[in-house]
Amino acid sequence: DTAVSQTPKYLVTQMGNDKSIKCEQNLGHDTMYWYKQDSKKFLKIMFSYNNKELIINETVPNRFSPKSPDKAHLNLHINSLELGDSAVYFCASSQARPNRGGDGTQYFGPGTRLLVL
Amino acid sequence: DAKTTQPNSMESNEEEPVHLPCNHSTISGTDYIHWYRQLPSQGPEYVIHGLTSNVNNRMASLAIAEDRKSSTLILHRATLRDAAVYYCILRGIQGAQKLVFGQGTRLTINP
């Protein structure tokens, strides 16, 4: 009964390849996020979707494309992988703010460790 | 998003209380103070949040200064499983819902 799950847990691939990471939440939340944690351990927001609509798009290369087929899923596709993409990618979900019935607390998945060789 | 300042690291002993400080002198009136922690090799985990009054839950207590320019996360009886990086984050009620993580405080618990 995992709340936020990600697949795969580990991903090792060659430079130039295209790969996808999947995220699913069973909390009934309406907002999902992708964060990136680099080798220096800094966590940064990449994208956020609310009810399948993109609401946050930080300065992220066009090679990264999120897709939300429904409220419970948010996938991240990465084209032409580069060495600098090696990081841990965390998915999170939340219910929207107090004026929409939620308190905004974010629940994180276990992370996908991506290594680009 | 307003910034927070935390010590890079702290150390404590098992079964003793731990007080983790956070300064947020530019906090606005509608900013909530959130605390998350990240255990080794895991995703961040919500700990507690508050606006003006002190808050308690099963994990911790949050003490907020009267002027709201600082707050303290209190772990009443630290265990080895509390060793983690603790993040103090300000979140407003307007605008995007992203969490802006700083470097956090790495808490080491000695047996």
Side-chain angles (χ1 to χ4, degrees):
Chain A
D1 58 342
T2 306
V4 182
S5 59
Q6 296 179 226
T7 53
K9 194 168 180 181
Y10 298 96
L11 186 51
V12 181
T13 188
Q14 300 286 332
M15 240 180 2
N17 284 350
D18 303 337
K19 290 292 179 187
S20 290
I21 308 172
K22 297 188 175 186
C23 179
E24 177 180 359
Q25 54 97 2
N26 63 6
L27 297 167
H29 289 164
D30 61 3
T31 307
M32 295 184 72
Y33 314 77
W34 278 113
Y35 287 83
K36 178 182 178 180
Q37 188 166 39
D38 61 24
S39 56
K40 293 183 179 174
K41 304 296 185 185
F42 286 111
L43 261 161
K44 278 188 158 183
I45 183 77
M46 298 175 71
F47 302 103
S48 176
Y49 272 76
N50 177 262
N51 284 318
K52 301 193 296 174
E53 182 185 342
L54 182 66
I55 57 170
I56 296 175
N57 186 352
E58 295 290 297
T59 311
V60 177
N62 290 340
R63 299 181 295 102
F64 290 79
S65 51
K67 279 195 173 56
S68 182
D70 56 58
K71 280 195 323 182
H73 296 85
L74 180 61
N75 303 323
L76 184 65
H77 187 76
I78 316 171
N79 288 327
S80 304
L81 277 155
E82 300 178 357
L83 295 177
D85 298 332
S86 296
V88 184
Y89 292 85
F90 289 102
C91 176
S93 74
S94 71
Q95 185 58 29
R97 296 161 191 263
N99 60 350
R100 295 185 187 174
D103 67 1
T105 298
Q106 293 188 18
Y107 296 82
F108 285 77
T112 295
R113 283 141 188 85
L114 171 64
L115 178 60
V116 182
L117 302 174
Chain B
D1 299 291
K3 283 193 68 174
T4 63
T5 306
Q6 301 176 250
N8 285 338
S9 62
M10 289 184 65
E11 203 169 320
S12 185
N13 297 320
E14 208 176 0
E15 298 190 5
E16 289 184 359
V18 179
H19 290 234
L20 295 160
C22 180
N23 287 322
H24 27 79
S25 57
T26 59
I27 191 170
S28 75
T30 54
D31 283 340
Y32 283 78
I33 302 158
H34 286 249
W35 284 81
Y36 282 75
R37 72 179 185 180
Q38 187 173 19
L39 278 64
S41 300
Q42 293 189 31
E45 173 188 35
Y46 168 78
V47 178
I48 200 167
H49 77 281
L51 184 62
T52 55
S53 306
N54 293 346
V55 185
N56 300 301
N57 66 19
R58 64 174 180 79
M59 286 180 73
S61 295
L62 176 60
I64 301 172
E66 203 169 323
D67 63 4
R68 301 212 322 129
K69 293 184 186 301
S70 65
S71 60
T72 302
L73 179 70
I74 303 166
L75 307 179
H76 294 285
R77 229 170 139 243
T79 70
L80 295 177
R81 286 180 296 177
D82 290 321
V85 179
Y86 286 78
Y87 298 97
C88 169
I89 300 168
L90 301 182
R91 279 196 52 200
I93 58 172
Q94 301 299 328
Q97 294 192 36
K98 64 183 178 184
L99 292 175
V100 180
F101 289 84
Q103 95 281 351
T105 297
R106 181 172 297 278
L107 177 64
T108 301
I109 304 295
N110 299 315

